[in-house]
Amino acid sequence: MKKPTAGGAVSTVASMGTEALDAAVSVVRRAGEAIRSRTSHTGETEPRWHVMTVCASAEEVAPGGKLPEPLAQFGDAIDTQLRPAPGERGTELACRLHDKEDAGPRDTAEPVTGHDTVQELRTALRHAKALVETGEILLPDRPSTNRPTFTGRPLDKLIENAQGEGRL
């Protein structure tokens, strides 16, 4: 008579763990795709409003109806709204792209390869807020306290991209 070995139980537990991990990865992947698709309940892609609260009056944000230079560069490609911020804390500056193609799902390679209009709009909105509030565009990495090195380039790129997404 052959004795049962522990190897069979271990391989069963390992296979159950692998199946559970595969299921978890699948759920997370589907959730990520749903978030990235940015579709409405009708299934149609809608441009998303990007909003910043600026610590200034509406007249200071857009004197004479003229937007700050970073946003003015978009011209007629964006919709803008100015409204009082809650609690009388300045003005909400809201922008969105007209073109649904630019506002829709992004390919994951876009930020690496270059042109991403949504990120450009987010960066312009941040720069406009800085210009109105301080009179200059404040950059998180300048003036730098270190010298440029080969190993520091990835961090420099992350800081540069954080202007659009707002986080590292």
Side-chain angles (χ1 to χ4, degrees):
M1 176 175 225
K2 197 174 184 184
K3 289 186 179 180
T5 61
V10 171
S11 68
T12 302
V13 170
S15 117
M16 288 173 50
T18 303
E19 290 172 8
L21 182 61
D22 288 344
V25 168
S26 176
V27 167
V28 170
R29 186 174 290 144
R30 273 188 253 127
E33 289 171 359
I35 290 169
R36 279 192 303 271
S37 71
R38 298 186 201 157
T39 56
S40 70
H41 58 87
T42 61
E44 184 176 322
T45 303
E46 299 176 354
R48 180 173 178 241
W49 284 97
H50 301 277
V51 183
M52 282 266 177
T53 300
V54 181
C55 189
S57 68
E59 183 56 35
E60 292 171 318
V61 173
K66 185 175 185 250
L67 292 171
E69 183 56 35
L71 292 173
Q73 292 177 356
F74 282 89
D76 293 335
I78 59 171
D79 289 325
T80 57
Q81 292 181 351
L82 292 173
R83 56 183 174 255
E88 298 178 12
R89 298 179 190 253
T91 303
E92 283 188 350
L93 173 60
C95 301
R96 73 175 174 183
L97 295 166
H98 281 295
D99 190 5
K100 290 185 181 185
E101 287 181 15
D102 286 336
R106 291 188 319 208
D107 185 85
T108 55
E110 269 186 311
V112 174
T113 58
H115 188 67
D116 185 356
T117 311
V118 173
Q119 293 306 317
E120 291 172 6
L121 176 61
R122 291 173 62 110
T123 300
L125 192 57
R126 286 177 185 277
H127 288 178
K129 174 185 169 84
L131 276 173
V132 171
E133 291 181 347
T134 67
E136 63 180 312
I137 297 174
L138 304 172
L139 299 175
D141 59 339
R142 300 293 180 249
S144 179
T145 58
N146 61 349
R147 55 190 165 85
T149 63
F150 178 74
T151 56
R153 285 186 188 153
L155 179 60
D156 292 340
K157 191 65 177 166
L158 284 173
I159 290 171
E160 179 185 321
N161 288 339
Q163 287 288 311
E165 282 296 326
R167 62 183 182 271
L168 283 176

